[in-house]
Coordinates of all heavy atoms in Angstrom, one line a residue:
Chain A
Y33 N -29.0 32.7 -44.2 CA -28.1 32.5 -45.4 C -27.7 31.1 -45.6 O -27.7 30.4 -44.6 CB -26.8 33.4 -45.2 CG -26.9 34.7 -44.7 CD1 -27.1 34.9 -43.3 CD2 -26.8 35.8 -45.5 CE1 -27.2 36.3 -42.8 CE2 -26.9 37.1 -45.0 CZ -27.2 37.3 -43.7 OH -27.3 38.6 -43.1
Y35 N -24.7 28.8 -47.6 CA -23.5 28.8 -48.3 C -23.1 27.4 -48.7 O -23.5 26.5 -48.1 CB -22.3 29.3 -47.5 CG -22.4 30.8 -47.0 CD1 -23.0 31.2 -45.9 CD2 -21.8 31.8 -47.8 CE1 -23.2 32.5 -45.5 CE2 -21.8 33.1 -47.5 CZ -22.5 33.4 -46.4 OH -22.5 34.8 -46.1
Q37 N -19.6 25.1 -49.5 CA -18.1 25.1 -49.3 C -17.5 23.8 -50.1 O -17.9 22.7 -49.6 CB -17.7 25.2 -48.0 CG -16.1 25.4 -47.8 CD -15.7 25.6 -46.4 OE1 -16.2 25.2 -45.5 NE2 -14.7 26.6 -46.3
G40 N -11.1 22.8 -49.5 CA -10.1 23.6 -49.7 C -10.5 25.0 -50.2 O -9.5 25.9 -50.5
Q41 N -11.8 25.3 -50.3 CA -12.2 26.6 -50.9 C -12.9 27.4 -49.7 O -13.2 26.9 -48.7 CB -13.1 26.3 -52.1 CG -12.6 25.5 -53.2 CD -11.4 26.1 -53.7 OE1 -11.4 27.3 -54.1 NE2 -10.3 25.3 -53.9
G42 N -13.2 28.7 -50.1 CA -13.9 29.5 -49.3 C -15.5 29.2 -49.4 O -15.8 28.3 -50.2
L43 N -16.3 30.0 -48.7 CA -17.8 29.8 -48.8 C -18.3 30.5 -49.9 O -17.9 31.8 -50.1 CB -18.4 30.2 -47.5 CG -18.3 29.4 -46.3 CD1 -16.8 29.2 -45.8 CD2 -19.3 29.8 -45.2
L45 N -22.0 32.0 -51.6 CA -23.4 32.3 -51.2 C -24.4 31.8 -52.2 O -24.3 32.0 -53.4 CB -23.6 33.8 -51.0 CG -24.9 34.3 -50.6 CD1 -25.2 33.8 -49.0 CD2 -25.0 35.9 -50.6
Y48 N -30.1 34.0 -49.8 CA -30.2 34.7 -48.5 C -31.6 35.2 -48.4 O -32.2 35.5 -49.4 CB -29.1 35.7 -48.3 CG -29.1 36.9 -49.2 CD1 -29.7 38.1 -48.9 CD2 -28.5 36.8 -50.5 CE1 -29.8 39.2 -49.8 CE2 -28.5 37.9 -51.4 CZ -29.2 39.1 -51.0 OH -29.1 40.2 -51.9
Q50 N -33.6 38.2 -46.0 CA -33.5 39.2 -45.0 C -34.7 39.4 -44.1 O -34.8 40.2 -43.2 CB -33.0 40.5 -45.6 CG -31.6 40.4 -46.1 CD -31.1 41.6 -46.8 OE1 -31.6 42.1 -47.7 NE2 -30.0 42.2 -46.3
F88 N -20.1 20.8 -48.8 CA -20.3 21.0 -47.4 C -21.3 22.3 -47.4 O -20.9 23.2 -47.9 CB -19.1 21.3 -46.6 CG -19.2 21.4 -45.1 CD1 -20.0 20.6 -44.3 CD2 -18.6 22.4 -44.4 CE1 -20.1 20.6 -43.0 CE2 -18.7 22.5 -43.1 CZ -19.4 21.6 -42.3
L90 N -23.4 25.2 -45.5 CA -23.6 25.9 -44.3 C -24.6 26.9 -44.2 O -24.8 27.6 -45.2 CB -22.2 26.6 -43.9 CG -21.0 25.7 -43.5 CD1 -19.7 26.3 -44.0 CD2 -21.1 25.4 -42.1
G97 N -29.4 44.5 -40.6 CA -29.1 45.9 -40.6 C -28.0 46.3 -39.5 O -27.9 45.6 -38.5
G98 N -27.5 47.5 -39.7 CA -26.5 48.0 -38.8 C -25.1 47.3 -38.8 O -25.0 46.3 -39.6
R99 N -24.3 47.8 -37.9 CA -23.0 47.0 -37.9 C -23.1 45.5 -37.6 O -22.4 44.7 -38.1 CB -22.3 47.8 -36.7 CG -20.9 47.2 -36.5 CD -20.2 47.9 -35.2 NE -19.0 47.5 -34.9 CZ -18.0 48.3 -35.2 NH1 -18.1 49.6 -35.6 NH2 -16.7 47.9 -35.1
G101 N -25.4 43.5 -38.1 CA -25.9 42.8 -39.3 C -24.9 42.2 -40.1 O -25.2 41.3 -41.0
N102 N -23.7 42.5 -40.0 CA -22.6 41.9 -40.8 C -21.9 40.8 -40.0 O -20.9 40.2 -40.5 CB -21.5 43.0 -41.2 CG -22.1 44.1 -42.0 OD1 -22.6 43.7 -43.1 ND2 -22.2 45.2 -41.5
I103 N -22.4 40.3 -38.8 CA -21.9 39.3 -38.1 C -22.8 38.1 -38.2 O -24.0 38.2 -37.7 CB -21.7 39.6 -36.6 CG1 -20.8 40.9 -36.4 CG2 -21.2 38.5 -35.8 CD1 -20.7 41.4 -35.0
Q104 N -22.3 37.1 -38.8 CA -23.3 35.9 -39.1 C -22.8 34.8 -38.1 O -21.7 34.6 -37.9 CB -23.0 35.4 -40.6 CG -23.6 36.4 -41.5 CD -23.4 36.1 -42.9 OE1 -23.0 34.9 -43.3 NE2 -23.8 36.9 -43.8
F106 N -23.1 30.7 -37.5 CA -23.2 29.5 -38.4 C -23.6 28.2 -37.7 O -23.3 28.1 -36.5 CB -21.9 29.3 -39.1 CG -21.5 30.2 -40.2 CD1 -21.0 31.5 -39.9 CD2 -21.7 29.9 -41.6 CE1 -20.7 32.4 -41.0 CE2 -21.5 30.8 -42.6 CZ -21.0 32.1 -42.2
G107 N -24.3 27.4 -38.4 CA -24.6 26.1 -38.0 C -23.3 25.2 -38.1 O -22.3 25.6 -38.7
A108 N -23.5 23.9 -37.8 CA -22.4 23.0 -37.9 C -22.2 22.3 -39.3 O -21.2 21.6 -39.6 CB -22.6 21.9 -36.9
R111 N -23.0 17.7 -44.7 CA -22.1 17.3 -45.8 C -22.9 16.4 -46.8 O -23.6 15.4 -46.4 CB -21.0 16.5 -45.2 CG -19.9 16.2 -46.3 CD -18.5 15.7 -45.6 NE -17.9 16.8 -44.7 CZ -17.3 17.8 -45.0 NH1 -17.1 18.0 -46.3 NH2 -16.7 18.6 -44.2
Chain B
Y32 N -17.7 47.5 -43.4 CA -17.0 47.0 -42.1 C -16.0 45.9 -42.5 O -16.2 45.3 -43.6 CB -18.1 46.5 -41.1 CG -19.0 47.5 -40.6 CD1 -20.2 47.7 -41.2 CD2 -18.6 48.3 -39.4 CE1 -21.1 48.8 -40.7 CE2 -19.5 49.3 -39.0 CZ -20.6 49.5 -39.6 OH -21.5 50.4 -39.0
T34 N -14.7 42.5 -41.2 CA -14.9 41.3 -40.3 C -14.1 40.1 -40.5 O -13.9 39.7 -41.7 CB -16.5 40.9 -40.5 OG1 -17.4 42.2 -40.5 CG2 -17.0 40.1 -39.4
Y36 N -13.3 35.9 -39.6 CA -14.0 34.8 -39.1 C -12.7 33.7 -38.9 O -11.8 33.7 -39.7 CB -15.0 34.2 -40.0 CG -16.3 34.9 -40.0 CD1 -16.5 36.1 -40.7 CD2 -17.3 34.5 -39.2 CE1 -17.6 36.7 -40.8 CE2 -18.5 35.1 -39.2 CZ -18.6 36.3 -40.0 OH -19.8 36.9 -39.8
Q38 N -12.3 29.3 -39.0 CA -13.0 28.1 -39.4 C -12.1 27.0 -39.1 O -11.0 26.9 -39.6 CB -13.5 28.2 -40.7 CG -14.4 26.9 -41.1 CD -14.8 26.8 -42.5 OE1 -14.2 27.4 -43.4 NE2 -16.0 26.3 -42.7
S41 N -14.4 21.0 -41.1 CA -15.8 20.4 -40.9 C -16.6 21.2 -39.9 O -17.5 20.5 -39.3 CB -15.7 18.9 -40.6 OG -15.0 18.1 -41.6
Q42 N -16.4 22.4 -39.6 CA -17.2 23.2 -38.8 C -17.6 24.5 -39.5 O -17.0 24.9 -40.5 CB -16.4 23.6 -37.5 CG -16.2 22.4 -36.6 CD -15.6 22.9 -35.3 OE1 -15.9 23.9 -34.8 NE2 -14.8 22.0 -34.6
G43 N -18.7 25.2 -39.0 CA -18.9 26.4 -39.6 C -18.1 27.6 -39.1 O -17.6 27.5 -38.0
P44 N -17.9 28.6 -39.8 CA -17.0 29.8 -39.4 C -17.5 30.3 -38.1 O -18.8 30.3 -37.8 CB -17.1 30.7 -40.6 CG -17.4 29.9 -41.8 CD -18.3 28.9 -41.3
F46 N -17.3 33.9 -35.8 CA -16.9 35.4 -35.7 C -15.8 35.6 -34.8 O -15.8 35.1 -33.6 CB -18.1 36.2 -35.4 CG -17.8 37.6 -35.1 CD1 -17.5 38.5 -36.0 CD2 -17.8 38.0 -33.7 CE1 -17.2 39.8 -35.8 CE2 -17.5 39.4 -33.4 CZ -17.2 40.2 -34.4
Q49 N -14.6 42.5 -35.4 CA -15.1 43.4 -36.5 C -14.6 44.8 -36.2 O -14.6 45.1 -35.0 CB -16.5 43.4 -36.6 CG -17.2 44.3 -37.7 CD -18.6 44.4 -37.6 OE1 -19.2 45.0 -36.7 NE2 -19.3 43.7 -38.5
G50 N -14.2 45.6 -37.2 CA -13.8 47.0 -37.0 C -14.2 47.8 -38.2 O -14.6 47.3 -39.3
Y51 N -14.2 49.1 -38.0 CA -14.4 50.1 -39.1 C -13.1 50.9 -39.3 O -12.7 51.0 -40.5 CB -15.6 51.0 -38.7 CG -15.9 52.0 -39.8 CD1 -16.6 51.6 -40.9 CD2 -15.5 53.2 -39.8 CE1 -17.0 52.4 -41.9 CE2 -15.8 54.1 -40.7 CZ -16.5 53.7 -41.8 OH -16.9 54.6 -42.8
Y87 N -10.7 34.1 -42.2 CA -11.2 34.8 -43.3 C -11.4 36.3 -43.1 O -11.9 36.7 -41.9 CB -12.5 34.2 -43.8 CG -12.6 32.7 -44.2 CD1 -12.8 31.7 -43.4 CD2 -12.3 32.6 -45.7 CE1 -12.8 30.5 -44.0 CE2 -12.4 31.2 -46.1 CZ -12.6 30.2 -45.3 OH -12.6 28.9 -45.7
G91 N -17.5 44.6 -46.3 CA -18.8 44.9 -46.8 C -19.7 45.5 -45.8 O -19.4 45.6 -44.6
D92 N -21.0 45.6 -46.3 CA -22.0 46.1 -45.3 C -23.4 45.7 -45.9 O -23.9 46.2 -46.9 CB -22.0 47.6 -45.2 CG -23.1 48.2 -44.2 OD1 -23.5 47.3 -43.4 OD2 -23.5 49.3 -44.3
W93 N -23.9 44.7 -45.3 CA -25.3 44.1 -45.8 C -26.3 45.1 -45.9 O -27.1 45.2 -46.9 CB -25.7 42.9 -45.0 CG -25.1 41.7 -45.3 CD1 -24.0 41.1 -44.7 CD2 -25.5 40.7 -46.4 NE1 -23.6 39.9 -45.4 CE2 -24.6 39.7 -46.3 CE3 -26.5 40.7 -47.3 CZ2 -24.7 38.5 -47.2 CZ3 -26.6 39.5 -48.1 CH2 -25.7 38.6 -47.9
A94 N -26.3 46.0 -44.9 CA -27.4 47.1 -44.9 C -27.3 48.0 -46.0 O -28.4 48.5 -46.5 CB -27.3 47.9 -43.6
K98 N -22.8 43.0 -50.2 CA -22.7 41.7 -49.6 C -21.2 41.4 -49.1 O -20.4 41.6 -49.9 CB -23.3 40.6 -50.4 CG -24.7 40.8 -50.7 CD -25.3 39.6 -51.4 CE -24.8 39.3 -52.8 NZ -25.2 40.3 -53.7
L99 N -21.0 40.7 -48.0 CA -19.7 40.4 -47.6 C -19.5 39.0 -48.4 O -20.3 38.2 -48.4 CB -19.6 40.1 -46.1 CG -19.5 41.4 -45.2 CD1 -20.7 42.2 -45.1 CD2 -19.0 41.0 -43.8
F101 N -16.8 35.6 -48.8 CA -15.7 34.8 -48.3 C -14.7 34.5 -49.4 O -15.1 33.9 -50.4 CB -16.2 33.5 -47.7 CG -16.8 33.6 -46.3 CD1 -18.2 34.0 -46.2 CD2 -16.1 33.3 -45.2 CE1 -18.8 34.1 -45.0 CE2 -16.8 33.4 -43.9 CZ -18.1 33.8 -43.8
G102 N -13.4 34.9 -49.2 CA -12.5 34.5 -50.2 C -11.9 33.1 -49.8 O -12.5 32.4 -49.0
G103 N -10.7 33.0 -50.2 CA -10.0 31.7 -49.9 C -9.5 31.5 -48.4 O -9.2 30.4 -48.0
R106 N -4.7 29.9 -44.2 CA -4.5 28.7 -43.3 C -3.3 28.9 -42.5 O -2.3 29.1 -43.0 CB -4.2 27.5 -44.3 CG -5.4 27.2 -45.3 CD -5.1 25.9 -46.0 NE -6.4 25.7 -46.7 CZ -7.5 25.0 -46.3 NH1 -7.4 24.5 -45.1 NH2 -8.5 24.7 -47.1

Side-chain angles (χ1 to χ4, degrees):
Chain A
Y33 314 81
Y35 292 90
Q37 187 172 35
Q41 305 296 314
L43 284 70
L45 184 65
Y48 63 99
Q50 294 179 301
F88 189 44
L90 287 156
R99 177 190 188 104
N102 298 299
I103 299 173
Q104 296 180 3
F106 284 82
R111 193 166 296 281
Chain B
Y32 293 92
T34 310
Y36 288 85
Q38 186 181 27
S41 298
Q42 294 186 26
F46 169 77
Q49 182 189 72
Y51 182 79
Y87 295 97
D92 181 25
W93 277 94
K98 298 191 295 291
L99 281 74
F101 283 82
R106 296 182 177 276

